[in-house]
Amino acid sequence: MLDIRFVRENLDAVQQALRNRGTSLEVLEGFLELEKDRRRLIAETDDLRNRRNVLSKEVGKLKGKGESAEALMAEVRGFGDKLKELETSLNLIEDKVRLTLLGIPNIPHPTVPVGPDETANREERKVGTPRRFDFQPLNHWDIAENLDIIDFERATKIAGARFALYKGLGARLERSLINFMLDVHTREHGYTETFPPVLVNSDSMTGTGQLPKFREDLFKVEGTDLWLIPTAEVPVTNIFRDEVLEEKDLPRYFTAYTPCFRAEAGSHGKDTRGLIRQHQFNKVELVKFTTPEKSEEELEKLTANAEEILKRLDLPYRVITLCTGDMGFSAAKTYDLEVWLPGQDKYREISSCSNFSDYQARRAAIRYRPEGRKKNEFVHTLNGSGLAVGRTLVAILENYQQADGSVIIPEPIRPYMGVDRIAKA
RNA sequence: GGAGGAGUGGCCGAGUGGUUUAAGGCGGCGGUCUUGAAAACCGUUGUGGGGGCAACUUCACCGUGGGUUCAAAUCCUACCUCCUCCGCCA
């Protein structure tokens, strides 16, 4: 959420941000008038309440002295209806203002390239060289089915399309990758491991920006106020919702492995085969809380932490900066890591690392007490995948596949797997 | 799921309808004293909104939402959370 005062005083900048994102300016229509009405109503209600308070105290004084207060009481009685009326309109208008603010995306950071879609994204660097195959490399779903480590058909019977049933060394590889990633981030990168709820309430979903605008992307548990998380970003960022942190305790780093659930509404026909786009997938997430001064630097470090996993697995990847039109709603700046998939002959997203500036912190009321200054300020929140586990497994299958159909296990995963290769039984 | 109890400031805790301020304590901050520290003493210390260049002023907030009243932390009501006991359960 943007600061209401900022929107009021910098409407041009907000409009420009919306244009750069390729979003309609419709949300802003009538905002200034609404905000003006809000302030007028506050002044009126406060004034009336003040008069009521003063007179009511007068009544108390008179009664204390044993004098009659009937006349005063009769006068103040008339305030009630008017006050209720004012309060009702004020509540209505404040709800509207809040809803408007919740519908305005974050302002892109000045270093973000301006552009309409992914064609305007900026490649920052390429790391590693795609391997040359002396045979035709297969898609991961063919590799997996040949090795009998993933059963897509039965997963469809059990749940439906876009689900997978991992089996044998496939299941073990998924688990090994989770453990490897968590071990690197907790032991070497300073993150605290958490294991949060994967069902969260509407307040949490609103805090990080999924609600109210993107409910159709989410699964909801019927008859409750609970939603399945689309990413661990939601529960972990909300750890400090409605809290005030001490500056000396910042920055705070958290990591979490969770399953993630996405309705994938609007992506019919996209990536229908294989593991790339599932309703349920595993992810190890990195989340940071920091001061505004440090957040840009922290984004670089967080991205490097995610990259480290790819480097150790020796998977070729590139880093791109998402342009204004391709960036998520709450983000001020996003780096995507894209891993090389020989089966598809292209780079595919495997991690998304974002700085949300104070946008989520304001929605979720996460503040800190700056040392030496009196006023509390909003922290900056960041997060990134470190990494998407299913897609990492895809990358391993495709990049480490051999002519005989087997798959070599990358060195750092072998201690977790107990084998150095997955071959046909 | 059933029965009972409880939610007050950073923390503990008083407060069953009013008379300038939610008492008191702890903690934090500043000061006095001291070579330094402790102790003692004095002062200070919530969040958010509105108005104002500012000093300042005003409103709201005692788990949350409604309600009663001239006036609500206090009364009514629904809900949420926690605790105790019973039942069920991985």
Side-chain angles (χ1 to χ4, degrees):
Chain A
M1 185 160 67
L2 300 179
D3 180 21
I4 188 166
R5 230 164 316 170
F6 177 85
V7 179
R8 188 205 304 154
E9 289 162 12
N10 303 275
L11 202 67
D12 290 349
V14 178
Q15 285 175 334
Q16 191 55 51
L18 286 172
R19 260 184 242 119
N20 288 347
R21 279 177 171 274
T23 355
S24 159
L25 300 191
E26 206 180 334
V27 264
L28 291 175
E29 264 169 38
F31 178 80
L32 284 186
E33 290 71 20
L34 205 64
E35 161 62 355
K36 209 170 171 185
D37 281 352
R38 182 183 75 98
R39 285 184 292 159
R40 181 179 51 78
L41 272 169
I42 287 173
E44 279 180 45
T45 355
D46 278 8
D47 180 61
L48 191 59
R49 279 202 276 236
N50 177 240
R51 273 155 58 205
R52 181 201 60 187
N53 290 349
V54 169
L55 293 179
S56 287
K57 258 168 205 156
E58 208 53 44
V59 171
K61 273 189 216 168
L62 286 175
K63 286 203 164 178
K65 280 189 269 182
E67 293 172 25
S68 163
E70 271 311 317
L72 259 186
M73 280 163 65
E75 189 190 340
V76 184
R77 202 166 292 145
F79 286 23
D81 288 342
K82 180 71 184 156
L83 199 54
K84 206 150 283 175
E85 199 182 292
L86 283 172
E87 279 170 352
T88 306
S89 351
L90 184 57
N91 282 342
L92 212 72
I93 218 165
E94 285 193 321
D95 285 350
K96 260 195 210 163
V97 168
R98 184 174 159 74
L99 212 62
T100 301
L101 285 174
L102 288 176
I104 302 174
N106 200 357
I107 308 256
H109 191 268
T111 55
V112 170
V114 176
D117 53 43
E118 66 275 2
T119 58
N121 293 343
R122 182 175 65 216
E123 184 175 294
E124 302 293 341
R125 55 189 172 273
K126 270 195 175 118
V127 180
T129 316
R131 175 185 154 198
R132 286 174 173 278
F133 290 85
D134 46 18
F135 59 95
Q136 181 60 43
L138 298 178
N139 272 308
H140 68 275
W141 57 82
D142 288 329
I143 303 168
E145 278 172 341
N146 290 342
L147 293 171
D148 196 27
I149 56 172
I150 298 178
D151 186 337
F152 289 102
E153 228 172 277
R154 290 203 175 91
T156 306
K157 173 173 69 182
I158 297 165
R162 297 199 189 283
F163 286 91
L165 170 65
Y166 292 74
K167 297 194 302 185
L169 289 177
R172 195 194 293 177
L173 180 54
E174 183 86 359
R175 175 162 59 93
S176 299
L177 288 171
I178 293 166
N179 283 333
F180 168 66
M181 292 178 194
L182 285 174
D183 284 344
V184 171
H185 294 313
T186 55
R187 291 175 188 162
E188 301 178 43
H189 296 155
Y191 291 78
T192 301
E193 185 170 351
T194 61
F195 201 180
V198 300
L199 293 174
V200 301
N201 57 35
S202 297
D203 285 344
S204 293
M205 283 293 187
T206 306
T208 32
Q210 281 73 22
L211 290 180
K213 215 179 159 188
F214 304 102
R215 56 162 51 223
E216 65 280 359
D217 296 337
L218 303 169
F219 287 109
K220 184 166 195 197
V221 181
E222 207 175 333
T224 70
D225 182 42
L226 293 170
W227 307 76
L228 276 77
I229 58 168
T231 159
E233 156 192 357
V234 178
V236 178
T237 305
N238 275 282
I239 287 174
F240 294 126
R241 175 154 50 86
D242 294 321
E243 294 194 34
V244 182
L245 308 174
E246 298 296 332
E247 178 166 11
K248 65 174 164 51
D249 295 331
L250 296 174
R252 301 283 297 268
Y253 295 0
F254 294 96
T255 184
Y257 151 69
T258 67
C260 303
F261 304 90
R262 297 189 183 177
E264 295 297 344
S267 51
H268 301 292
K270 250 191 212 168
D271 301 310
T272 48
R273 297 206 65 182
L275 284 179
I276 293 291
R277 197 175 296 273
Q278 299 273 295
H279 284 311
Q280 174 188 333
F281 62 96
N282 295 308
K283 187 154 58 76
V284 169
E285 187 74 1
L286 307 170
V287 175
K288 291 185 174 187
F289 302 85
T290 179
T291 58
E293 295 75 30
K294 287 281 169 62
S295 70
E296 288 182 53
E297 174 190 337
E298 292 291 351
L299 177 62
E300 302 302 321
K301 283 164 68 179
L302 185 146
T303 307
N305 294 152
E307 285 181 67
E308 183 63 24
I309 301 294
L310 288 166
K311 285 181 181 162
R312 296 209 189 173
L313 297 177
D314 201 18
L315 293 166
Y317 68 94
R318 61 173 188 167
V319 183
I320 58 173
T321 304
L322 296 190
C323 75
T324 50
D326 204 23
M327 235 183 0
F329 183 78
S330 304
K333 181 171 186 172
T334 300
Y335 293 121
D336 268 9
L337 307 186
E338 297 185 333
V339 70
W340 176 252
L341 296 185
Q344 301 195 10
D345 201 32
K346 56 180 152 185
Y347 287 97
R348 293 298 306 256
E349 177 189 342
I350 196 168
S351 169
S352 197
C353 303
S354 302
N355 182 359
F356 298 90
S357 63
D358 61 0
Y359 186 88
Q360 292 182 326
R362 187 172 288 105
R363 290 172 83 108
I366 308 169
R367 290 166 295 172
Y368 76 104
R369 218 181 305 282
E371 270 159 32
R373 273 175 294 164
K374 185 120 177 84
K375 196 125 177 64
N376 293 340
E377 301 203 21
F378 291 106
V379 301
H380 278 199
T381 58
L382 301 96
N383 67 59
S385 350
L387 306 163
V389 180
R391 291 188 180 182
T392 306
L393 184 137
V394 165
I396 288 173
L397 294 186
E398 295 195 7
N399 282 280
Y400 283 90
Q401 61 180 301
Q402 308 300 309
D404 63 0
S406 69
V407 172
I408 306 267
I409 300 300
E411 202 75 53
I413 305 303
R414 290 181 194 172
Y416 297 89
M417 283 293 283
V419 300
D420 56 12
R421 177 190 291 261
I422 304 177
K424 214 175 264 188

